[in-house]
Amino acid sequence: MSSTGQGASSDAEAREKARARAEAIAYREQNRKDRAKARTLTNMVWALLACFVVVAFLMVVTWRPKEEKIRAVEYTAQLTDARKVAPWVRGPEPMPSGWTATSVEFRTPEQSPITWHLGIVTNEKKYVGLEQSNVTGGKYQSDELGRTTDDGTSTVEGVTWQRKVLQDRKDENALVLVDSGVTTIVVGNAGYPALEAFASVLR
């Protein structure tokens, strides 16, 4: 082989080696970039996960359930005064254990019926209300209860009360007693057993 042929062959091999080296370098560089991107994404995922863990921990540590505060009212003095005007007014004697009076009102307007109201929250955070008036017509009941349907009777201390289901107020029932010119209503969402227990302590 001539020197010219050998030189051409050497140049071709050199170019091939140079091309191979360039491809290898480019491959390594691309591989390095790909690994760097992967590490960056992984780091971001771990960083976000760590943030979520910290936030969740703080929420668990600092969260406290909000308890609705019950504002108790003194009703016995007003009950005593009401009985001086309307001896038929009744109140719990004694108040069931754990129950709290939260509202009280005695009204004696000149041209309207006398009314007595006592609102109570039970130990299970349910509502029981006492409504009384010296009228016996159906209008007073509808004013206090809205639309109702009869639901049988309850016998409390030997006295028969009419059970009512309130159609316009969810999960509320009432016991109604009309006697001696007075309407007495025990109403609330505490269920019939609680309403009956309250009716049994009215004096």
Side-chain angles (χ1 to χ4, degrees), residues 65-85:
K66 292 184 178 179
E67 293 186 1
E68 184 178 352
K69 292 184 178 180
I70 298 175
R71 183 172 175 269
V73 299
E74 167 55 44
Y75 70 92
T76 55
Q78 194 161 348
L79 175 59
T80 300
D81 291 340
R83 284 171 172 165
K84 294 176 182 177
V85 178

Side-chain angles (χ1 to χ4, degrees), residues 28 62 148 157 169:
R28 286 197 297 271
T62 59
T148 63
E157 302 290 310
R169 283 143 65 175

Side-chain angles (χ1 to χ4, degrees), residues 41-169:
L41 181 60
T42 302
N43 290 340
M44 288 177 62
V45 171
W46 280 108
L48 287 173
L49 182 60
C51 288
F52 287 138
V53 170
V54 171
V55 171
F57 174 76
L58 291 175
M59 289 179 65
V60 170
V61 170
T62 59
W63 181 81
R64 295 290 184 273
K66 292 184 178 179
E67 293 186 1
E68 184 178 352
K69 292 184 178 180
I70 298 175
R71 183 172 175 269
V73 299
E74 167 55 44
Y75 70 92
T76 55
Q78 194 161 348
L79 175 59
T80 300
D81 291 340
R83 284 171 172 165
K84 294 176 182 177
V85 178
W88 46 263
V89 166
R90 303 170 71 181
E93 295 179 358
M95 178 75 78
S97 178
W99 293 28
T100 304
T102 57
S103 61
V104 60
E105 184 181 32
F106 180 61
R107 300 184 61 192
T108 57
E110 294 181 358
Q111 297 181 348
S112 297
I114 296 174
T115 59
W116 163 250
H117 159 82
L118 184 62
I120 294 161
V121 173
T122 72
N123 56 340
E124 296 183 350
K125 304 298 185 293
K126 300 293 186 178
Y127 176 75
V128 172
L130 171 63
E131 312 293 345
Q132 281 193 287
S133 179
N134 60 342
V135 293
T136 57
K139 185 177 185 305
Y140 175 70
Q141 293 186 39
S142 63
D143 287 345
E144 293 296 330
L145 304 177
R147 295 181 303 130
T148 63
T149 55
D150 291 342
D151 193 26
T153 60
S154 291
T155 301
V156 181
E157 302 290 310
V159 177
T160 301
W161 296 65
Q162 176 66 55
R163 287 184 172 191
K164 303 281 187 178
V165 175
L166 277 60
Q167 296 182 356
D168 301 322
R169 283 143 65 175

Side-chain angles (χ1 to χ4, degrees), residues 13-55:
E13 289 178 1
R15 286 195 298 272
E16 183 62 27
K17 288 180 180 180
R19 185 183 65 78
R21 268 199 314 274
E23 289 180 352
I25 291 171
Y27 174 80
R28 286 197 297 271
E29 180 64 21
Q30 185 62 43
N31 190 45
R32 184 187 66 78
K33 290 181 180 179
D34 291 342
R35 288 200 307 271
K37 288 181 180 179
R39 285 196 300 270
T40 301
L41 181 60
T42 302
N43 290 340
M44 288 177 62
V45 171
W46 280 108
L48 287 173
L49 182 60
C51 288
F52 287 138
V53 170
V54 171
V55 171

